[in-house]
Amino acid sequence: MPKDGGIGASSKRREDIRFLTGTGKYTDDINIRGQAYVHFLRSDVAHAKINGIDTSAAAAMPGVVQIFTGADFEAVGGIPCGWEITDRHGKAMQEPKHPVLAHGKVRHVGDPIAAVVAESLEQARDAAEAIELDLEELPAVVNMKAALVEGATKVHDDLDNNLCYDWGFVEENKGAVDAAIKGAAHVTTLELVNNRLVANPMEPRVAVGEYDRADGQHTLHTTSQNPHVIRLLMGAFVLGIPEHKLRVVAPDVGGGFGTKIFHYAEEAFCTFAAKAVNRPVKWTSSRSEAFMSDAHGRDHVTKIELALDKDNNFVAVRTETLANMGAYLSTFASSVPTWLHGTLMAGNYKTPNVYVNVKAVFTNTVPVDAYRGAGRPEATYQLERVIDMAARELGVDPIALRRQNYITEFPYATPVAVEYDTGDYNATMDKLEEIADIKGFAARRKESEARGMMRGLGINNYIEACGIAPSNLVGQLGARAGLYDAATVRVNATGSISVMVGAHSHGQGHETAFPQVVAEMLGIDESMIDIVHGDTSKIPFGMGTYGSRSLAVCGSAMVRATEKIINKAKKIAAHLMEASEADIELKDGNFSVAGTDKSVAWGDVTLAAYVPHNYPLEDIEPGLEETAFYDPANFTYPAGAYACEVEVDPDTGKVTIARFAAADDFGNVINPMIVSGQVHGGIAQGIGQALLESCVYDEDGQLLSASYMDYTMPRADDLPFYSVDHSCQTPCTHNPLGVKGCGEAGAIGSPPSVINAVIDALNSGGHDVKHIDMPATPAKVWAAMQS
Amino acid sequence: MYNFEFEKPGTLADAVAAMSADEAQALGGGQTLIPTLKQRLASPSVLVSLSGIGEMQGICMGDQGEMCIGGSSTHASVAAASGYRALSALAGQIGDPAVRARGTIGGSLANNDPSACYPAAALASGATIKTNAREIAADDYFEGMFATALDEGEIITEVRFPVPEIAHYEKFVQPASRFALVGVFVAKFKDGVRVAVTGASEEGVFRWSEAEAALSANFAAEALDGLTVDAEGMIGDLHGSKEYRAHLVNVITKRAVKAAA
Ligand SMILES: Cc1cc2nc3c(=O)[nH]c(=O)nc-3n(C[C@H](O)[C@H](O)[C@H](O)COP(=O)(O)OP(=O)(O)OC[C@H]3O[C@@H](n4cnc5c(N)ncnc54)[C@H](O)[C@@H]3O)c2cc1C
């Protein structure tokens, strides 16, 4: 019987009522009396020296309040990077300055040069056109290989070259890995590109800065996944505003997908300018601006080698990756190709030798940072593609080859420094074979062929590390922040509850799922509980939402705080019933004394806490409010097996997804419907990456795919109906809920199965095609068939 | 957007008068023009809306059995019309419901986007483009990418489509915009077959004469076997090379013939 409330129930997403009826409150809905509008004049060239900016004519235009340039920000800090990487040789990464407004040079199309604050947006735009720029164009650095050539044009003149870092992991393993590859019976080598993506959340970024002269209080309303991170970075590193004078509010946020984690120049600008002009200052990104100012995702070029012994056991994996950083280091850019990628290169397999080399490269392109999956999709894609290629070369069944090499005993310490606590990869593969009806594939292929279509089946595994992360560990790895989270459970006098959480919900459904946990623990109805999030003045210091961490980390903090509530409530109940605290039991919202028929209701206890007439005041304080911080002991390791079936049209190269199945192990599941929804969305993005989406620059650094006319977002009719299953559950061993995280799995697990399926289809049609880079557009697939 | 004056005349005569103003521009459904204005890529002084002119609305069958479509007719209204199924099907595939509810046949033909759908229908059907000043045969109307025979300020008031015996428009979409990467309209008349190709050529919509000859002799997909268009002169971009487009012209034409037959 499905439950109708609490943990395990598919409670309907309560937040959707406001989203679907147009009553959500987004940052752009915030309009403050007297606000002025800012328009950023952005570079339309990829690389140039700024010889002069003449704003005099523009400043005299109607409605102009003030015009800012890089010079106005000399006294403040630049946009910081939150993670320092130490390279193979023990050297710290090269970290360029990232000014709020370009200073000296522009380094990518979209780099903000000047900001016009005016009475209206149109006036700001008019004035921006009157700014006279003297730009001296420089050669653009676009291709990563060319960027690393000795003597290449430098994106940052004050750095040694365009190499941010040359990272080796685990450096000490390199010799053993090289030796294992040398002595292997078979080595499969694959070079591939992980395409550059633009996140494209439905809501573009918005920032509204406010300054209250009366008390020196700054407020930034912004489209962020993590308001406390923004407060920390912007307050401490950029503008020098102490925390108690800076409030950051992220109200309803219309999707983030990673790109709203980062601290952006526009946020710092609006906060700074609000004080400078003594008026609220608002910026709303246009979609065109989003394409050239939101951090992009992925953009790796990789060579991977998989070595096998004569019995097809994996003996070594070696990779060399170039990772595009773009023109500046975005907040977590440096960590994505390293710790979020290298640590997953063992995959689901007991390969004893793994070595990962990553060179991060500066180019004259938009900064690249975490995008749904962040590092793990890159790892999964390489590994699962090369395994498929090896199976094809060796003529063995790709499922059997994987099964043969699975890790089967847990905990398992990988050669890339992480310890998987639990998992059962055979179980998810069994489940996949069932829901994908792998047995029926041959018949379906025949049927497709009868219609003149080529049909392919692609499968893959994935594993990811979520729930980032143990703070002491990430500290050692270079993170410049802790990665705990926090929750305050505030029980009100009548028993209703507000839970203030550090996680931020921007599509994940926290407002529904989090109360289910508290309701379960207390035995009361979910409707008595609300979540408060997104405002640093209301919530405890939590680190926000990314890396599928909210439930595993913030949810655990909420459990701990609720446990404290229960402990205190039991004391109060014991007093009310004149019983011993040890005998108090909490069930279905009632406190009873074991072995008696005495009981008091939840509401009686909460009322007593706030109207403490009959109350053990000498022992405990009145009130019922508890906070807990939770710092995880390890990452969590969701894993799964995915299958994709495609049809390829031999005449046009068009790929159609015929079937898609996902068997995931997320540990315990709080709300199965929300989990399915997260997987659906993730798969849509993964299919988008595999077949449709591609952010393309020309050799001059001009963005060719700068609008939806050329950047292909997945549409409903590009996608099949999915079969998803999350009944295989090996609960996480180290967090109180046993949960692992499900937000990114779909995006991580789906691209390799799609490409594996395309390759399978082409080969079935007699085309000896070994690899196609994503996205597998009709034109690319057709070209592959011609060669 | 830059500021502009807005006029919404009720008659064609008033529209023609309004269009004589300096830097006046006609506004059809705005599906192309409004985004252009928003990006500040155009700065007309006066926008003359054509959507309030009764003479430019309505779809009917003419004396010679041709379909007469008012220049301000929306794609949705053409999609819903009866009398020329292939044309209605084409209109029903333009953009999405919002685009079809506003975009007009006059706007589409005046704009002559090299990837637009209507130009293929007009050219393959041998349509006549009626303006406030004259009638222009489709064969004389299309003059390359975004270029037409229209004079400055000239307004398309009506388009007349002879209805073929059988016809079909086959569209292979550009994945992002879903305009035609290659679109082929095949129309079989008593006296021969006309084939117009959109999306493919750097010269905009064109008639594929070899295919017309082959299909006029034998209206079957096999008649196109071995026929090719020269890749030189095809569009090569992010979404497909010149060679790919040249290849698709044959494939899509065959599909159009199969679907029509
Ligand atoms: C999302 C989207 C998808 C689309 N997909 C497709 C597609 O798949 N296939 C396709 O063919 N098109 C597509 N279009 C284009 C669409 O069909 C437009 O409606 C069309 O290109 C322009 O028509 P309009 O009435 O909107 O003209 P407007 O945008 O108002 O005007 C376009 C130009 O024509 C001029 N003009 C307008 N009406 C007249 C007239 N009667 N006489 C003379 N000049 C006139 C204007 O001055 C302007 O220069 C798409 C558009 C969008 C936004």
Side-chain angles (χ1 to χ4, degrees), chain A residues 122 126 129 649 651-652 709-710 715 717-718 778 782, chain B residues 1-2 38 40 174-178 239 244 247 255:
Chain A
E122 289 301 313
D126 288 342
E129 286 180 9
D649 181 337
D651 293 331
T652 63
M709 294 302 278
D710 288 303
R715 293 158 160 100
D717 65 358
D718 292 315
W782 179 79
Chain B
M1 274 191 208
Y2 299 106
K38 281 182 161 181
R40 296 189 159 209
Q174 192 259 58
S177 70
R178 294 203 174 173
H239 307 285
Y244 182 55
H247 165 77
R255 289 188 179 179

PDB file of all heavy atoms in Angstrom, chain A residues 122 126 129 649 651-652 709-710 715 717-718 778 782, chain B residues 1-2 38 40 174-178 239 244 247 255:
ATOM      1  N   GLU A 122      15.262  51.293 -20.910  1.00  0.00           N
ATOM      2  CA  GLU A 122      15.464  51.783 -22.277  1.00  0.00           C
ATOM      3  C   GLU A 122      16.420  52.972 -22.280  1.00  0.00           C
ATOM      4  O   GLU A 122      17.260  53.106 -23.170  1.00  0.00           O
ATOM      5  CB  GLU A 122      14.121  52.158 -22.917  1.00  0.00           C
ATOM      6  CG  GLU A 122      13.245  50.947 -23.245  1.00  0.00           C
ATOM      7  CD  GLU A 122      13.910  49.949 -24.211  1.00  0.00           C
ATOM      8  OE1 GLU A 122      14.469  50.382 -25.234  1.00  0.00           O
ATOM      9  OE2 GLU A 122      13.869  48.741 -23.916  1.00  0.00           O
ATOM     10  N   ASP A 126      19.864  53.225 -24.258  1.00  0.00           N
ATOM     11  CA  ASP A 126      20.166  54.340 -25.161  1.00  0.00           C
ATOM     12  C   ASP A 126      21.529  54.922 -24.815  1.00  0.00           C
ATOM     13  O   ASP A 126      22.353  55.167 -25.698  1.00  0.00           O
ATOM     14  CB  ASP A 126      19.099  55.442 -25.032  1.00  0.00           C
ATOM     15  CG  ASP A 126      17.768  55.026 -25.650  1.00  0.00           C
ATOM     16  OD1 ASP A 126      17.749  54.074 -26.454  1.00  0.00           O
ATOM     17  OD2 ASP A 126      16.742  55.663 -25.307  1.00  0.00           O
ATOM     18  N   GLU A 129      24.611  52.950 -25.778  1.00  0.00           N
ATOM     19  CA  GLU A 129      25.008  53.070 -27.191  1.00  0.00           C
ATOM     20  C   GLU A 129      25.828  54.317 -27.450  1.00  0.00           C
ATOM     21  O   GLU A 129      26.527  54.406 -28.458  1.00  0.00           O
ATOM     22  CB  GLU A 129      23.753  53.074 -28.081  1.00  0.00           C
ATOM     23  CG  GLU A 129      23.131  51.699 -28.184  1.00  0.00           C
ATOM     24  CD  GLU A 129      21.885  51.682 -29.059  1.00  0.00           C
ATOM     25  OE1 GLU A 129      21.582  52.695 -29.724  1.00  0.00           O
ATOM     26  OE2 GLU A 129      21.203  50.642 -29.054  1.00  0.00           O
ATOM     27  N   ASP A 649      17.767   7.057 -38.918  1.00  0.00           N
ATOM     28  CA  ASP A 649      17.279   7.089 -40.294  1.00  0.00           C
ATOM     29  C   ASP A 649      18.489   7.084 -41.225  1.00  0.00           C
ATOM     30  O   ASP A 649      19.286   8.023 -41.217  1.00  0.00           O
ATOM     31  CB  ASP A 649      16.458   8.379 -40.472  1.00  0.00           C
ATOM     32  CG  ASP A 649      15.869   8.505 -41.863  1.00  0.00           C
ATOM     33  OD1 ASP A 649      16.407   7.876 -42.802  1.00  0.00           O
ATOM     34  OD2 ASP A 649      14.888   9.250 -42.011  1.00  0.00           O
ATOM     35  N   ASP A 651      18.826   7.584 -44.273  1.00  0.00           N
ATOM     36  CA  ASP A 651      18.847   8.596 -45.340  1.00  0.00           C
ATOM     37  C   ASP A 651      19.213   9.987 -44.826  1.00  0.00           C
ATOM     38  O   ASP A 651      19.768  10.792 -45.555  1.00  0.00           O
ATOM     39  CB  ASP A 651      17.472   8.676 -46.018  1.00  0.00           C
ATOM     40  CG  ASP A 651      17.164   7.391 -46.772  1.00  0.00           C
ATOM     41  OD1 ASP A 651      18.117   6.734 -47.230  1.00  0.00           O
ATOM     42  OD2 ASP A 651      15.968   7.058 -46.881  1.00  0.00           O
ATOM     43  N   THR A 652      18.844  10.262 -43.590  1.00  0.00           N
ATOM     44  CA  THR A 652      19.044  11.626 -43.085  1.00  0.00           C
ATOM     45  C   THR A 652      19.993  11.687 -41.885  1.00  0.00           C
ATOM     46  O   THR A 652      20.446  12.761 -41.521  1.00  0.00           O
ATOM     47  CB  THR A 652      17.708  12.234 -42.617  1.00  0.00           C
ATOM     48  OG1 THR A 652      17.215  11.443 -41.528  1.00  0.00           O
ATOM     49  CG2 THR A 652      16.681  12.249 -43.738  1.00  0.00           C
ATOM     50  N   MET A 709      17.608  30.110 -31.880  1.00  0.00           N
ATOM     51  CA  MET A 709      17.583  29.806 -33.311  1.00  0.00           C
ATOM     52  C   MET A 709      18.690  28.812 -33.659  1.00  0.00           C
ATOM     53  O   MET A 709      18.600  28.098 -34.646  1.00  0.00           O
ATOM     54  CB  MET A 709      17.768  31.084 -34.138  1.00  0.00           C
ATOM     55  CG  MET A 709      16.619  32.071 -34.013  1.00  0.00           C
ATOM     56  SD  MET A 709      15.025  31.364 -34.493  1.00  0.00           S
ATOM     57  CE  MET A 709      15.132  31.564 -36.269  1.00  0.00           C
ATOM     58  N   ASP A 710      19.740  28.795 -32.836  1.00  0.00           N
ATOM     59  CA  ASP A 710      20.872  27.920 -33.144  1.00  0.00           C
ATOM     60  C   ASP A 710      21.274  26.989 -32.015  1.00  0.00           C
ATOM     61  O   ASP A 710      22.007  26.038 -32.224  1.00  0.00           O
ATOM     62  CB  ASP A 710      22.085  28.770 -33.558  1.00  0.00           C
ATOM     63  CG  ASP A 710      21.888  29.381 -34.927  1.00  0.00           C
ATOM     64  OD1 ASP A 710      21.663  28.611 -35.881  1.00  0.00           O
ATOM     65  OD2 ASP A 710      21.903  30.619 -35.040  1.00  0.00           O
ATOM     66  N   ARG A 715      12.964  19.527 -26.642  1.00  0.00           N
ATOM     67  CA  ARG A 715      11.525  19.790 -26.547  1.00  0.00           C
ATOM     68  C   ARG A 715      10.846  18.455 -26.223  1.00  0.00           C
ATOM     69  O   ARG A 715      11.429  17.387 -26.420  1.00  0.00           O
ATOM     70  CB  ARG A 715      10.983  20.320 -27.863  1.00  0.00           C
ATOM     71  CG  ARG A 715      11.492  21.713 -28.247  1.00  0.00           C
ATOM     72  CD  ARG A 715      11.319  21.822 -29.750  1.00  0.00           C
ATOM     73  NE  ARG A 715      11.310  23.174 -30.274  1.00  0.00           N
ATOM     74  CZ  ARG A 715      12.371  23.747 -30.857  1.00  0.00           C
ATOM     75  NH1 ARG A 715      13.521  23.116 -30.901  1.00  0.00           N
ATOM     76  NH2 ARG A 715      12.284  24.937 -31.389  1.00  0.00           N
ATOM     77  N   ASP A 717       8.756  16.665 -27.685  1.00  0.00           N
ATOM     78  CA  ASP A 717       8.663  15.624 -28.719  1.00  0.00           C
ATOM     79  C   ASP A 717      10.025  15.073 -29.137  1.00  0.00           C
ATOM     80  O   ASP A 717      10.102  14.201 -29.993  1.00  0.00           O
ATOM     81  CB  ASP A 717       7.840  16.105 -29.932  1.00  0.00           C
ATOM     82  CG  ASP A 717       8.492  17.244 -30.673  1.00  0.00           C
ATOM     83  OD1 ASP A 717       9.573  17.707 -30.245  1.00  0.00           O
ATOM     84  OD2 ASP A 717       7.927  17.696 -31.685  1.00  0.00           O
ATOM     85  N   ASP A 718      11.105  15.573 -28.548  1.00  0.00           N
ATOM     86  CA  ASP A 718      12.416  14.949 -28.754  1.00  0.00           C
ATOM     87  C   ASP A 718      12.606  13.770 -27.802  1.00  0.00           C
ATOM     88  O   ASP A 718      13.601  13.045 -27.911  1.00  0.00           O
ATOM     89  CB  ASP A 718      13.545  15.947 -28.464  1.00  0.00           C
ATOM     90  CG  ASP A 718      13.605  17.067 -29.485  1.00  0.00           C
ATOM     91  OD1 ASP A 718      13.509  16.757 -30.689  1.00  0.00           O
ATOM     92  OD2 ASP A 718      13.752  18.235 -29.083  1.00  0.00           O
ATOM     93  N   PRO A 778      21.667  15.109 -36.790  1.00  0.00           N
ATOM     94  CA  PRO A 778      21.494  14.391 -38.061  1.00  0.00           C
ATOM     95  C   PRO A 778      22.695  14.618 -38.987  1.00  0.00           C
ATOM     96  O   PRO A 778      23.188  13.664 -39.599  1.00  0.00           O
ATOM     97  CB  PRO A 778      20.209  15.001 -38.637  1.00  0.00           C
ATOM     98  CG  PRO A 778      19.442  15.479 -37.448  1.00  0.00           C
ATOM     99  CD  PRO A 778      20.475  15.904 -36.441  1.00  0.00           C
ATOM    100  N   TRP A 782      25.011  11.592 -40.289  1.00  0.00           N
ATOM    101  CA  TRP A 782      25.075  11.346 -41.728  1.00  0.00           C
ATOM    102  C   TRP A 782      26.526  11.395 -42.211  1.00  0.00           C
ATOM    103  O   TRP A 782      26.968  10.515 -42.958  1.00  0.00           O
ATOM    104  CB  TRP A 782      24.224  12.377 -42.483  1.00  0.00           C
ATOM    105  CG  TRP A 782      24.275  12.167 -43.955  1.00  0.00           C
ATOM    106  CD1 TRP A 782      23.577  11.236 -44.673  1.00  0.00           C
ATOM    107  CD2 TRP A 782      25.094  12.878 -44.899  1.00  0.00           C
ATOM    108  NE1 TRP A 782      23.908  11.330 -46.004  1.00  0.00           N
ATOM    109  CE2 TRP A 782      24.834  12.324 -46.168  1.00  0.00           C
ATOM    110  CE3 TRP A 782      26.010  13.931 -44.792  1.00  0.00           C
ATOM    111  CZ2 TRP A 782      25.457  12.785 -47.327  1.00  0.00           C
ATOM    112  CZ3 TRP A 782      26.636  14.390 -45.941  1.00  0.00           C
ATOM    113  CH2 TRP A 782      26.360  13.822 -47.198  1.00  0.00           C
TER     114      TRP A 782
ATOM    115  N   MET B   1      14.172  48.103 -27.719  1.00  0.00           N
ATOM    116  CA  MET B   1      13.496  48.783 -28.827  1.00  0.00           C
ATOM    117  C   MET B   1      13.769  50.275 -28.790  1.00  0.00           C
ATOM    118  O   MET B   1      13.890  50.858 -27.730  1.00  0.00           O
ATOM    119  CB  MET B   1      11.971  48.625 -28.664  1.00  0.00           C
ATOM    120  CG  MET B   1      11.419  47.373 -29.247  1.00  0.00           C
ATOM    121  SD  MET B   1       9.635  47.439 -29.275  1.00  0.00           S
ATOM    122  CE  MET B   1       9.297  45.691 -29.174  1.00  0.00           C
ATOM    123  N   TYR B   2      13.815  50.835 -29.961  1.00  0.00           N
ATOM    124  CA  TYR B   2      13.812  52.291 -30.047  1.00  0.00           C
ATOM    125  C   TYR B   2      12.354  52.735 -30.144  1.00  0.00           C
ATOM    126  O   TYR B   2      11.483  51.961 -30.523  1.00  0.00           O
ATOM    127  CB  TYR B   2      14.576  52.758 -31.288  1.00  0.00           C
ATOM    128  CG  TYR B   2      16.026  52.355 -31.302  1.00  0.00           C
ATOM    129  CD1 TYR B   2      16.475  51.339 -32.126  1.00  0.00           C
ATOM    130  CD2 TYR B   2      16.946  53.013 -30.482  1.00  0.00           C
ATOM    131  CE1 TYR B   2      17.812  50.969 -32.144  1.00  0.00           C
ATOM    132  CE2 TYR B   2      18.284  52.652 -30.500  1.00  0.00           C
ATOM    133  CZ  TYR B   2      18.718  51.628 -31.325  1.00  0.00           C
ATOM    134  OH  TYR B   2      20.033  51.270 -31.338  1.00  0.00           O
ATOM    135  N   LYS B  38      13.353  44.402 -30.776  1.00  0.00           N
ATOM    136  CA  LYS B  38      13.818  44.244 -29.393  1.00  0.00           C
ATOM    137  C   LYS B  38      15.332  44.204 -29.319  1.00  0.00           C
ATOM    138  O   LYS B  38      15.927  44.670 -28.361  1.00  0.00           O
ATOM    139  CB  LYS B  38      13.250  42.958 -28.781  1.00  0.00           C
ATOM    140  CG  LYS B  38      11.819  43.079 -28.313  1.00  0.00           C
ATOM    141  CD  LYS B  38      11.425  41.761 -27.698  1.00  0.00           C
ATOM    142  CE  LYS B  38      10.219  41.881 -26.801  1.00  0.00           C
ATOM    143  NZ  LYS B  38       9.896  40.576 -26.220  1.00  0.00           N
ATOM    144  N   ARG B  40      17.171  45.820 -31.168  1.00  0.00           N
ATOM    145  CA  ARG B  40      17.608  47.125 -31.684  1.00  0.00           C
ATOM    146  C   ARG B  40      18.325  46.982 -33.024  1.00  0.00           C
ATOM    147  O   ARG B  40      19.258  47.715 -33.314  1.00  0.00           O
ATOM    148  CB  ARG B  40      18.476  47.836 -30.664  1.00  0.00           C
ATOM    149  CG  ARG B  40      17.712  48.160 -29.388  1.00  0.00           C
ATOM    150  CD  ARG B  40      18.492  49.046 -28.452  1.00  0.00           C
ATOM    151  NE  ARG B  40      17.582  49.723 -27.518  1.00  0.00           N
ATOM    152  CZ  ARG B  40      17.818  50.904 -26.979  1.00  0.00           C
ATOM    153  NH1 ARG B  40      18.915  51.563 -27.263  1.00  0.00           N
ATOM    154  NH2 ARG B  40      16.946  51.447 -26.144  1.00  0.00           N
ATOM    155  N   GLN B 174      15.556  22.133 -39.096  1.00  0.00           N
ATOM    156  CA  GLN B 174      16.776  22.517 -38.406  1.00  0.00           C
ATOM    157  C   GLN B 174      16.448  22.308 -36.926  1.00  0.00           C
ATOM    158  O   GLN B 174      15.415  22.772 -36.448  1.00  0.00           O
ATOM    159  CB  GLN B 174      17.070  23.996 -38.728  1.00  0.00           C
ATOM    160  CG  GLN B 174      18.439  24.485 -38.333  1.00  0.00           C
ATOM    161  CD  GLN B 174      18.376  25.288 -37.035  1.00  0.00           C
ATOM    162  OE1 GLN B 174      17.920  24.776 -36.018  1.00  0.00           O
ATOM    163  NE2 GLN B 174      18.831  26.516 -37.078  1.00  0.00           N
ATOM    164  N   PRO B 175      17.298  21.548 -36.196  1.00  0.00           N
ATOM    165  CA  PRO B 175      16.869  21.112 -34.869  1.00  0.00           C
ATOM    166  C   PRO B 175      16.575  22.256 -33.890  1.00  0.00           C
ATOM    167  O   PRO B 175      15.680  22.119 -33.067  1.00  0.00           O
ATOM    168  CB  PRO B 175      18.063  20.277 -34.371  1.00  0.00           C
ATOM    169  CG  PRO B 175      18.890  19.956 -35.564  1.00  0.00           C
ATOM    170  CD  PRO B 175      18.599  20.984 -36.605  1.00  0.00           C
ATOM    171  N   ALA B 176      17.295  23.346 -33.974  1.00  0.00           N
ATOM    172  CA  ALA B 176      17.091  24.410 -32.987  1.00  0.00           C
ATOM    173  C   ALA B 176      15.884  25.273 -33.339  1.00  0.00           C
ATOM    174  O   ALA B 176      14.949  25.399 -32.555  1.00  0.00           O
ATOM    175  CB  ALA B 176      18.349  25.267 -32.877  1.00  0.00           C
ATOM    176  N   SER B 177      15.886  25.868 -34.503  1.00  0.00           N
ATOM    177  CA  SER B 177      14.823  26.820 -34.853  1.00  0.00           C
ATOM    178  C   SER B 177      13.571  26.129 -35.351  1.00  0.00           C
ATOM    179  O   SER B 177      12.484  26.677 -35.283  1.00  0.00           O
ATOM    180  CB  SER B 177      15.314  27.751 -35.952  1.00  0.00           C
ATOM    181  OG  SER B 177      15.435  27.032 -37.185  1.00  0.00           O
ATOM    182  N   ARG B 178      13.748  24.935 -35.845  1.00  0.00           N
ATOM    183  CA  ARG B 178      12.681  24.175 -36.496  1.00  0.00           C
ATOM    184  C   ARG B 178      12.104  24.868 -37.722  1.00  0.00           C
ATOM    185  O   ARG B 178      11.013  24.559 -38.177  1.00  0.00           O
ATOM    186  CB  ARG B 178      11.600  23.747 -35.504  1.00  0.00           C
ATOM    187  CG  ARG B 178      12.173  22.747 -34.503  1.00  0.00           C
ATOM    188  CD  ARG B 178      11.101  21.893 -33.872  1.00  0.00           C
ATOM    189  NE  ARG B 178      11.694  20.861 -33.025  1.00  0.00           N
ATOM    190  CZ  ARG B 178      10.989  20.063 -32.249  1.00  0.00           C
ATOM    191  NH1 ARG B 178       9.677  20.157 -32.206  1.00  0.00           N
ATOM    192  NH2 ARG B 178      11.574  19.145 -31.519  1.00  0.00           N
ATOM    193  N   HIS B 239      24.428  23.618 -38.558  1.00  0.00           N
ATOM    194  CA  HIS B 239      23.439  22.539 -38.550  1.00  0.00           C
ATOM    195  C   HIS B 239      23.587  21.573 -39.713  1.00  0.00           C
ATOM    196  O   HIS B 239      22.855  20.596 -39.788  1.00  0.00           O
ATOM    197  CB  HIS B 239      22.036  23.144 -38.517  1.00  0.00           C
ATOM    198  CG  HIS B 239      21.872  24.121 -37.407  1.00  0.00           C
ATOM    199  ND1 HIS B 239      21.743  23.723 -36.105  1.00  0.00           N
ATOM    200  CD2 HIS B 239      21.908  25.476 -37.383  1.00  0.00           C
ATOM    201  CE1 HIS B 239      21.675  24.790 -35.320  1.00  0.00           C
ATOM    202  NE2 HIS B 239      21.777  25.864 -36.068  1.00  0.00           N
ATOM    203  N   TYR B 244      25.699  17.946 -46.991  1.00  0.00           N
ATOM    204  CA  TYR B 244      24.550  17.343 -46.312  1.00  0.00           C
ATOM    205  C   TYR B 244      23.250  17.923 -46.872  1.00  0.00           C
ATOM    206  O   TYR B 244      22.312  17.193 -47.194  1.00  0.00           O
ATOM    207  CB  TYR B 244      24.653  17.604 -44.809  1.00  0.00           C
ATOM    208  CG  TYR B 244      23.538  16.985 -43.991  1.00  0.00           C
ATOM    209  CD1 TYR B 244      23.258  15.628 -44.079  1.00  0.00           C
ATOM    210  CD2 TYR B 244      22.789  17.757 -43.119  1.00  0.00           C
ATOM    211  CE1 TYR B 244      22.239  15.064 -43.330  1.00  0.00           C
ATOM    212  CE2 TYR B 244      21.772  17.201 -42.349  1.00  0.00           C
ATOM    213  CZ  TYR B 244      21.500  15.857 -42.454  1.00  0.00           C
ATOM    214  OH  TYR B 244      20.500  15.293 -41.705  1.00  0.00           O
ATOM    215  N   HIS B 247      22.565  16.555 -50.263  1.00  0.00           N
ATOM    216  CA  HIS B 247      22.056  15.187 -50.137  1.00  0.00           C
ATOM    217  C   HIS B 247      20.584  15.197 -49.725  1.00  0.00           C
ATOM    218  O   HIS B 247      19.757  14.457 -50.277  1.00  0.00           O
ATOM    219  CB  HIS B 247      22.911  14.433 -49.112  1.00  0.00           C
ATOM    220  CG  HIS B 247      22.312  13.160 -48.618  1.00  0.00           C
ATOM    221  ND1 HIS B 247      22.320  11.996 -49.359  1.00  0.00           N
ATOM    222  CD2 HIS B 247      21.646  12.871 -47.464  1.00  0.00           C
ATOM    223  CE1 HIS B 247      21.697  11.039 -48.676  1.00  0.00           C
ATOM    224  NE2 HIS B 247      21.281  11.546 -47.528  1.00  0.00           N
ATOM    225  N   ARG B 255      10.749  11.978 -50.551  1.00  0.00           N
ATOM    226  CA  ARG B 255       9.714  11.784 -49.522  1.00  0.00           C
ATOM    227  C   ARG B 255       8.461  12.583 -49.846  1.00  0.00           C
ATOM    228  O   ARG B 255       7.336  12.123 -49.607  1.00  0.00           O
ATOM    229  CB  ARG B 255      10.274  12.181 -48.150  1.00  0.00           C
ATOM    230  CG  ARG B 255      11.299  11.171 -47.697  1.00  0.00           C
ATOM    231  CD  ARG B 255      11.767  11.373 -46.278  1.00  0.00           C
ATOM    232  NE  ARG B 255      12.737  10.307 -45.997  1.00  0.00           N
ATOM    233  CZ  ARG B 255      13.378  10.155 -44.866  1.00  0.00           C
ATOM    234  NH1 ARG B 255      13.172  10.987 -43.861  1.00  0.00           N
ATOM    235  NH2 ARG B 255      14.219   9.156 -44.708  1.00  0.00           N
TER     236      ARG B 255
END
